[in-house]
Amino acid sequence: MAMEGIKIGWHCFRLSFSREVRTALRKPVFHWLSWCFPLLLFGLIGSNFSEGTLQELPVSVVDNDHSQLSRTLIRKLDAGSHAQLTPASGGLSEAMRRMRDAQDYGLVYIPADFEADALAGRQPRVTFYYNALFYGAGFYSTQDFGGLISELNANYRSILAAKMGKTPPPLAQVELSYDSLFNASGSYVYYQQFAATIHLVQLFVVTCMIYVLARSKPLIYSSSFSMSLLGKLAPYTLCYTTLLMAEIALLVWVFDARVVGNLFYMLCVAFFYVMAAQSIGLLLFTFTGSEITAYTLMGIMVSIALAFSGIVVPELSMSLPAQIISNIEPLTHALYAMFDLFLRKVPGRPVFSVCALLLMYPLIAGLLVRRRLPERLRKQEVVL
């Protein structure tokens, strides 16, 4: 009797799987949702991060001194990798206008008598303003400024001491060293683009699941509803897992990223993450009355996932309720595991722990929808 049930279940799974594959191959909308639009969007995002880091950001300079020291400061700052300095011929008013119009991300203001005050020991002030509305770009344009000012201070300290006929006392050689532990290059490919890739896969998976389930009325006539449902969802599990791994491969081959961890572990995390994302689409469709409502709630949930996954705000800096929401989201766990595998060697035990945690989402979703989903499909059939 048990073997007969297994045979029936396997037959229903295989029949539903093959039928869904044929349907998906024939309909253009499935191609757009499963690989065309995701890869197109991946390419657009990749073009934004193709340089890896922000470099040569436009910055205005207002030089009211026109001395050798001010020209040296401008030349050295312009020679750095982050800022590209352009003199503001119209003075401070033009430079401020360019910042307001987002033509420049920063403004360097050098006061009059800058060099004379420096040689007289009167501590003149050079100011670097940046547009805080463009925090990333504005702040990055200032990165070379602090080190350059420290160098000029050290040089002019010796000059002032020599003019006074004194020898400056030796200073303690204290060195401050800080750097990224795993992303020493500072490349955006290793964080923003990688995170955006994983997040967008969830968006397309949930969208596709709602679309597929809304057209799944024949499932209620199957001899084994559960196995037929699994067979219907399985092609998309494999499709989106392949898509995510293909996009990671493109990060390596096209954008020169480097994967340090085990690729098999990464494949496991991708597979269970796609299943967890599918369970969100399953829940949204089952517990809403229409496709429109499901799509609307999907946008809200995906936005919440982006806000609380650690991409926008680090999880450790969140309040306790926000951390709870963050840990409910499968995206958070998938991102942490993928980042670890992308940037360093990780043993198998923590990876399989994450996979087991992601597996809980489809299991819990299955328990919640096992009675409600057939009723939802029957209700939809009556409405249609």
Side-chain angles (χ1 to χ4, degrees):
M1 195 69 178
M3 289 300 298
E4 185 67 23
I6 294 175
K7 289 181 180 180
I8 293 174
W10 171 248
H11 175 73
C12 292
F13 177 89
R14 186 178 60 183
L15 184 64
S16 180
F17 183 94
S18 59
R19 184 188 297 121
E20 193 62 31
V21 170
R22 290 193 298 269
T23 301
L25 291 176
R26 286 197 304 265
K27 293 189 176 182
V29 65
F30 290 108
H31 290 278
W32 277 105
L33 286 176
S34 60
W35 65 273
C36 291
F37 198 38
L39 287 179
L40 178 63
L41 196 55
F42 173 81
L44 292 174
I45 295 174
S47 65
N48 291 335
F49 295 116
S50 59
E51 294 297 328
T53 58
L54 297 174
Q55 295 180 345
E56 299 299 329
L57 297 167
V59 174
S60 294
V61 57
V62 178
D63 184 4
N64 292 324
D65 189 41
H66 301 289
S67 63
Q68 181 179 354
L69 177 59
S70 66
R71 288 192 293 270
T72 300
L73 176 64
I74 294 171
R75 184 177 67 255
K76 289 187 175 182
L77 186 58
D78 187 51
S81 60
H82 293 96
Q84 182 179 17
L85 270 63
T86 303
S89 57
L92 186 60
S93 59
E94 179 192 348
M96 294 298 294
R97 180 191 60 78
R98 290 179 62 85
M99 283 188 65
R100 285 193 299 268
D101 295 342
Q103 294 177 311
D104 291 326
Y105 293 114
L107 161 63
V108 178
Y109 180 79
I110 302 175
D113 300 323
F114 170 58
E115 184 178 47
D117 289 343
L119 292 173
R122 288 192 286 267
Q123 299 181 344
R125 174 177 295 179
V126 178
T127 307
F128 197 134
Y129 301 96
Y130 68 89
N131 193 336
L133 293 176
F134 302 94
Y135 179 79
F139 182 72
Y140 243 76
S141 67
T142 70
Q143 294 300 292
D144 301 320
F145 186 64
L148 179 57
I149 293 298
S150 298
E151 178 188 344
L152 290 177
N153 285 335
N155 292 338
Y156 271 77
R157 180 174 176 269
S158 300
I159 294 173
L160 289 173
K163 291 181 66 175
M164 291 185 293
K166 297 180 180 180
T167 302
L171 299 177
Q173 297 297 318
V174 180
E175 294 185 3
L176 174 63
S177 178
Y178 64 94
D179 205 345
S180 171
L181 182 59
F182 299 114
N183 185 14
S185 66
S187 175
Y188 287 142
V189 173
Y190 288 96
Y191 184 69
Q192 284 92 337
Q193 186 175 355
F194 188 64
T197 298
I198 298 174
H199 179 261
L200 288 174
V201 166
Q202 176 182 251
L203 173 64
F204 286 108
V205 170
V206 176
T207 303
C208 186
M209 287 306 98
I210 296 174
Y211 184 84
V212 168
L213 291 170
R215 288 147 184 83
S216 301
K217 295 186 296 295
L219 287 178
I220 60 179
Y221 305 114
S222 173
S223 302
S224 177
F225 177 82
S226 299
M227 294 303 295
S228 295
L229 177 62
L230 291 176
K232 191 175 188 65
L233 301 183
Y236 302 102
T237 307
L238 300 176
C239 176
Y240 283 106
T241 302
T242 304
L243 173 69
L244 181 53
M245 294 304 295
E247 290 178 340
I248 292 174
L250 289 174
L251 288 177
V252 175
W253 295 333
V254 178
F255 298 98
D256 297 325
R258 181 170 175 262
V259 176
V260 179
N262 190 301
L263 289 177
F264 174 73
Y265 293 162
M266 189 171 286
L267 175 62
C268 292
V269 174
F271 178 78
F272 287 102
Y273 169 62
V274 170
M275 289 178 60
Q278 286 179 296
S279 67
I280 295 176
L282 182 63
L283 289 171
L284 287 175
F285 175 79
T286 303
F287 292 96
T288 54
S290 66
E291 286 182 69
I292 301 301
T293 306
Y295 287 131
T296 302
L297 291 178
M298 176 208 67
I300 295 173
M301 293 189 68
V302 170
S303 300
I304 292 174
L306 176 63
F308 291 94
S309 62
I311 300 175
V312 179
V313 178
E315 184 188 354
L316 294 178
S317 66
M318 296 180 187
S319 62
L320 180 60
Q323 290 189 28
I324 294 174
I325 295 174
S326 175
N327 282 278
I328 292 175
E329 293 286 347
L331 175 63
T332 303
H333 307 290
L335 276 178
Y336 288 167
M338 284 293 200
F339 278 137
D340 274 351
L341 290 168
F342 203 70
L343 300 175
R344 66 188 182 96
K345 292 185 179 296
V346 180
R349 184 173 180 178
V351 174
F352 293 133
S353 297
V354 172
C355 292
L357 181 61
L358 293 173
L359 181 60
M360 295 300 296
Y361 289 87
L363 292 179
I364 293 174
L367 292 175
L368 293 175
V369 307
R370 64 190 181 94
R371 292 184 179 178
R372 179 66 181 266
L373 182 57
E375 296 177 3
R376 171 74 170 85
L377 293 174
R378 290 190 186 96
K379 177 182 177 182
Q380 182 187 13
E381 184 181 31
V382 171
V383 173
L384 293 176

